[in-house]
Amino acid sequence: MTADVSRAPRDPGSDAEGTRWLDAGEQQAWRAWLYSAQLLLDRLDRELTHATGISHAYYEILVALSETEGRRMRMSELADRCLSSRSRLSHAVSRLEERGWVRRQVCPDDGRGQLAVLTDDGFAALEAAAPVHVEGVRTHLFDQLSPQQVAAMRDLGETLLRHLGTR
Amino acid sequence: MTADVSRAPRDPGSDAEGTRWLDAGEQQAWRAWLYSAQLLLDRLDRELTHATGISHAYYEILVALSETEGRRMRMSELADRCLSSRSRLSHAVSRLEERGWVRRQVCPDDGRGQLAVLTDDGFAALEAAAPVHVEGVRTHLFDQLSPQQVAAMRDLGETLLRHLGTR
DNA sequence: GCGGAATAGATGAGTCTTCAACTACTGTTC
DNA sequence: GAACAGTAGTTGAAGACTCATCTATTCCGC
């Protein structure tokens, strides 16, 4: 006897706690989404890391910095932009600093704050990595999808973002 | 001057390497998908971990084992099912063994192999965690989507899986 | 049935993430 | 302007993941 605990472990309806279990169709949709998301994120990260030595997490930090005026940003703002905790970002910036790609600068407006500044070396590293990343996204994502599917993907993402909060 | 390196850093067309940069619509679709995926996975993992002490990664291992005859599975097969590397699974099973939720057993058919076996305590832990996980998936995913969006999500996931390999 | 290639899994070092302090500064209230 | 609460960011320890390496076993060709 197997027990698929994502569906009801007993007869539906006999469940005292009233958990709203997934039906077979929801189950399949969820699994397909979950597996494809995990595989895609993993694949992109792996290919980028192998080709350039830059993980996807680091890449997002460099991109965020490169898109701002002066290529610098407050640590907290950068953390929010990268969906990262403060702590995680702080560690990551330390490691990027060791590589000479980012440096820290005390924030002039607020003595508590720090600015992360993208260096020229950091920008060069990003320029080298960008084609690899974009090619990965194209190959593994957009090349596989029809325009309708791309539209659906965007709609889906934006709907979920409204609920999860852009934070 | 900002530089969005996901689009062409220079004029499109002046790009010597011929990188197929993303246009504005693709960019938005990609960002929406990426952010929503990261936020959703993070949210589900966090809520599950806080409420039950079981991370999503561990949860998937327990679910996979619970679904098999005899609640046991070869390590490699389990790794594949959980989209995990052999090494990662080996470490994870060791930690689950310390909790008394899984035990290892030499595979009778193949002296090289090991079976991971779900214990009764492990199954009980899973039964306790399942409602929390399912409720999370419902609240943060299905409750937010129309039936059409759910269908699109499934279609999208399955399309990407065909390319990325169910592995 | 012997020898080499391939497979299954474990292990340890290095890296990354999380969590809970902790320091330092700002803003607010009296 | 002193006291206190709140905010910004860092730090260190513990847990988790990756990669390369290692051992044990099986498979295959002869």
Side-chain angles (χ1 to χ4, degrees):
Chain A
M1 187 201 83
T2 70
D4 182 342
V5 291
S6 296
R7 283 182 235 117
R10 291 172 283 279
D11 294 329
S14 75
D15 194 46
E17 305 91 20
T19 300
R20 299 179 296 157
W21 299 100
L22 304 184
D23 67 33
E26 288 170 331
Q27 188 88 194
Q28 286 164 340
W30 163 240
R31 283 276 166 106
W33 184 88
L34 177 64
Y35 280 22
S36 62
Q38 289 178 337
L39 283 172
L40 180 56
L41 292 172
D42 193 59
R43 185 81 156 252
L44 291 174
D45 186 41
R46 258 184 163 55
E47 290 183 356
L48 186 63
T49 303
H50 276 130
T52 70
I54 305 178
S55 69
H56 192 257
Y58 285 10
Y59 182 81
E60 288 203 304
I61 293 171
L62 300 180
V63 168
L65 288 176
S66 80
E67 287 174 344
T68 60
E69 278 296 312
R71 293 180 189 163
R72 67 196 63 209
M73 202 185 290
R74 285 291 291 270
M75 293 294 285
S76 314
E77 195 187 341
L78 186 53
D80 291 346
R81 192 85 96 90
C82 296
L83 304 181
S84 171
S85 70
R86 311 284 165 101
S87 168
R88 179 181 172 188
L89 181 73
S90 188
H91 285 297
V93 165
S94 297
R95 292 181 301 252
L96 289 171
E97 224 171 359
E98 285 167 18
R99 295 195 191 186
W101 291 351
V102 170
R103 61 186 172 78
R104 275 181 240 247
Q105 181 189 326
V106 174
C107 179
D109 311 337
D110 186 340
R112 295 167 299 183
Q114 293 275 110
L115 293 168
V117 186
L118 185 63
T119 65
D120 289 345
D121 279 3
F123 189 76
L126 177 57
E127 275 193 319
V132 175
H133 177 251
V134 172
E135 197 55 40
V137 172
R138 197 160 278 296
T139 305
H140 302 309
L141 186 64
F142 289 109
D143 281 354
Q144 306 306 319
L145 302 177
S146 69
Q148 292 75 31
Q149 285 175 311
V150 172
M153 178 179 91
R154 178 175 173 178
D155 168 59
L156 212 55
E158 288 174 349
T159 301
L160 293 177
L161 275 184
R162 269 193 294 282
H163 167 70
L164 295 165
T166 320
R167 219 186 322 188
Chain B
M1 187 200 83
T2 71
D4 183 344
V5 292
S6 297
R7 283 181 235 119
R10 290 173 284 279
D11 293 328
S14 73
D15 194 43
E17 305 92 20
T19 301
R20 299 178 297 157
W21 299 100
L22 304 184
D23 66 33
E26 288 169 331
Q27 188 88 196
Q28 285 164 340
W30 164 240
R31 284 274 165 106
W33 183 89
L34 177 64
Y35 280 22
S36 62
Q38 288 178 337
L39 284 172
L40 180 57
L41 292 172
D42 192 61
R43 185 84 156 249
L44 291 173
D45 186 39
R46 257 184 164 54
E47 290 183 356
L48 186 63
T49 303
H50 276 132
T52 70
I54 305 178
S55 70
H56 193 257
Y58 285 9
Y59 182 81
E60 289 203 305
I61 294 172
L62 300 180
V63 167
L65 288 176
S66 79
E67 287 174 344
T68 60
E69 278 296 311
R71 295 183 189 161
R72 66 197 63 210
M73 202 185 289
R74 285 292 291 271
M75 293 293 285
S76 314
E77 196 187 341
L78 186 53
D80 290 346
R81 192 84 94 87
C82 297
L83 305 180
S84 172
S85 70
R86 311 284 167 101
S87 169
R88 179 181 170 187
L89 181 73
S90 188
H91 286 295
V93 165
S94 296
R95 292 181 301 250
L96 289 171
E97 224 171 0
E98 286 168 17
R99 295 195 191 187
W101 291 351
V102 170
R103 62 188 171 76
R104 275 180 239 248
Q105 181 188 326
V106 174
C107 179
D109 312 337
D110 185 339
R112 294 167 299 183
Q114 293 275 111
L115 293 167
V117 186
L118 186 62
T119 65
D120 289 344
D121 279 3
F123 188 77
L126 178 57
E127 276 193 319
V132 175
H133 178 251
V134 172
E135 196 55 39
V137 173
R138 199 161 276 297
T139 304
H140 302 309
L141 187 64
F142 289 110
D143 281 354
Q144 307 306 320
L145 303 177
S146 69
Q148 292 75 31
Q149 285 176 310
V150 172
M153 178 178 88
R154 179 176 172 177
D155 168 59
L156 212 54
E158 288 174 349
T159 301
L160 293 177
L161 274 184
R162 270 193 294 282
H163 166 71
L164 294 164
T166 318
R167 199 127 28 138

